[in-house]
């Protein structure tokens, strides 16, 4: 028996099958259409295609969405990335797919995957932050995903580190959340603000060419440009402030940084670790702060694992 894991991102949907031994097959990747029903129909088509090619029956489907999902009703209240708004995602999926469907937040699934198969293996308590356009979060407590009372946890990207900081993005009314201090969006904003004020710098030149974003700014930092490096360092330090609070709160065994921005590696993690090791309560400084192991596939792997475990493994 096989299961299918589907990861819905802001720009693409990845779906792959895992056989009885949980060995993965090559995933299919398509662009994410906009809107709840369009996404559900795309998922159903992917599942049908993969199931038709499967050498054994598919038992269940796991789906990760970049959204908070009510565990009781299966509804997505609001998701900027997908255009879902008070949308019965669980019901629509069950109806369209015709197989048992398990649904969760994408970062929760990335945490599940890292715990079962990645950098969180052999650890009972894992904190994961996924850094990309936004910041997602996942918590493993005593070996299980912690989702809170209604499944809306753990939105660690909305931990505020500066109560008077910049307004948060998406549907978040808070200020100074780490999503607005050290996400890819935040880095892009800081690079551009610096470039506009300092047109004679390398960042300024890149901006004048219309080529400045979080990626190209990070590349400059990697080459040692002091201005880009200072901006990345500041973002890393804000990350470290949040990591300090997470360590103090959960006393985790390991703290993992995943998502597309994690390939900045020590440029971000170095300053974050410096702050964490200076500021966390001494007994909670024990957790290593590391890059997650499963890369961009973590959400899809976690979705397949959730389906596998959901039907009794
Ligand atoms: Zn926020």
């Amino acid at each position: 028996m096989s299961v299918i894991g589907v990861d819905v991102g802001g720009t693409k949907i990845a779906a792959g099958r895992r056989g009885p031994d949980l060995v993965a097959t090559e995933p299919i990747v398509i662009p994410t259409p906009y809107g709840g029903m369009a996404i559900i129909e795309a998922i159903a088509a992917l599942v049908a295609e993969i199931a038709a090619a499967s050498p054994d029956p598919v038992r269940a489907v796991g789906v990760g969405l970049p959204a908070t999902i009510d565990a009781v009703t299966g509804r997505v209240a609001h998701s900027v990335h997908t255009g879902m708004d008070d949308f019965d995602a669980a019901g629509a999926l069950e109806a369209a797919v015709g197989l048992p469907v398990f649904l969760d937040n994408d970062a929760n699934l990335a945490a599940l995957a890292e715990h079962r198969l990645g950098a969180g293996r052999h650890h009972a308590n894992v904190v994961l932050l996924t850094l990309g356009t936004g910041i997602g979060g996942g918590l493993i407590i005593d070996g299980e995903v912690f989702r809170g009372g209604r499944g809306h946890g753990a939105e660690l990207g909305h931990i505020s580190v500066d109560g008077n900081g910049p307004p948060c993005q998406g549907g978040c009314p808070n200020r100074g959340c780490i999503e607005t201090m050290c996400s890819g969006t935040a880095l892009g904003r800081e690079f551009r603000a610096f470039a506009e004020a300092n047109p004679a710098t390398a960042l300024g030149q890149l901006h004048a060419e219309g080529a400045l974003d979080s990626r190209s700014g990070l590349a400059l930092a990697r080459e040692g440009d002091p201005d880009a490096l200072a901006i990345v360092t500041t973002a890393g330090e804000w990350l470290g402030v949040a990591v300090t609070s997470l360590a103090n709160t959960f006393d985790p065994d390991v703290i993992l940084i995943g998502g597309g921005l994690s390939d900045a590696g020590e440029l971000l993690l170095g300053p974050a670790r410096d702050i964490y090791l200076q500021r966390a309560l001494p007994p909670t400084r024990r957790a290593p702060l590391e890059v997650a192991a499963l890369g961009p596939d973590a959400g899809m792997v976690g979705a397949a694992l959730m389906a596998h475990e959901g039907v009794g493994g």
Side-chain angles (χ1 to χ4, degrees):
M1 295 278 197
S2 291
V3 293
I4 294 174
V6 183
D7 183 42
V8 179
T11 56
K12 57 187 192 292
I13 301 178
R17 184 177 66 85
R18 289 195 163 235
D21 47 5
L22 280 179
V23 172
T25 55
E26 187 65 25
I28 302 177
V29 180
I30 61 164
T32 308
Y34 190 77
M37 278 320 293
I39 289 172
I40 301 301
E41 284 161 16
I43 292 171
L46 284 172
V47 167
E49 182 180 344
I50 293 170
S54 173
D56 55 4
V58 172
R59 294 172 75 187
V61 179
V63 177
L65 292 177
T68 55
I69 300 148
D70 189 308
V72 175
T73 64
R75 295 183 87 87
V76 172
H78 181 69
S79 160
V80 186
H81 306 292
T82 60
M84 294 182 185
D85 199 19
D86 190 25
F87 179 69
D88 181 11
L93 270 169
E94 286 270 6
V97 170
L99 284 165
V101 180
F102 299 86
L103 187 61
D104 203 351
N105 169 267
D106 54 356
N108 286 350
L109 293 176
L112 177 73
E114 292 290 342
H115 176 258
R116 300 294 198 264
L117 301 172
R121 260 184 310 168
H122 316 303
H123 295 298
N125 299 286
V126 179
V127 170
L128 170 76
L129 294 168
T130 58
L131 271 56
T133 312
I135 297 185
L139 279 177
I140 302 287
I141 296 180
D142 290 335
E144 299 299 331
V145 178
F146 177 82
R147 300 182 176 89
R150 287 288 291 255
H152 298 141
E155 290 286 345
L156 307 181
H158 296 286
I159 289 175
S160 176
V161 289
D162 181 356
N164 296 312
C168 195
Q169 54 192 27
C172 177
N174 206 351
R175 304 181 79 94
C177 298
I178 54 168
E179 175 153 316
T180 188
M181 306 298 272
C182 50
S183 63
T185 307
L187 271 180
R189 182 195 66 219
E190 294 301 313
F191 286 143
R192 278 190 297 277
F194 181 89
E196 278 161 18
N198 302 277
T201 59
L203 281 168
Q205 201 172 345
L206 210 53
H207 189 45
E209 292 163 8
L212 180 59
D213 59 12
S214 61
R215 291 269 135 212
S216 58
L218 261 175
L220 264 188
R222 208 172 277 121
E223 290 163 14
D225 177 75
D227 303 321
L229 208 47
I231 289 167
V232 178
T233 299
T234 300
E237 287 171 349
W238 284 120
L239 178 65
V241 174
V243 164
T244 300
S245 293
L246 288 166
N248 288 343
T249 307
F250 295 107
D251 183 26
D253 302 310
V254 65
I255 301 169
L256 301 175
I257 305 297
L261 203 55
S262 65
D263 61 13
E266 287 301 307
L267 282 183
L268 265 179
L269 263 61
R273 194 179 295 110
D274 287 346
I275 293 288
Y276 161 50
L277 293 178
Q278 286 164 28
R279 297 192 182 183
L281 293 168
T284 68
R285 283 177 201 164
R286 63 185 186 87
L289 175 64
E290 295 173 358
V291 174
L294 298 175
D297 286 344
M300 186 178 57
V301 173
L305 284 170
M306 173 175 62
H308 179 75
E309 295 178 8
V311 290

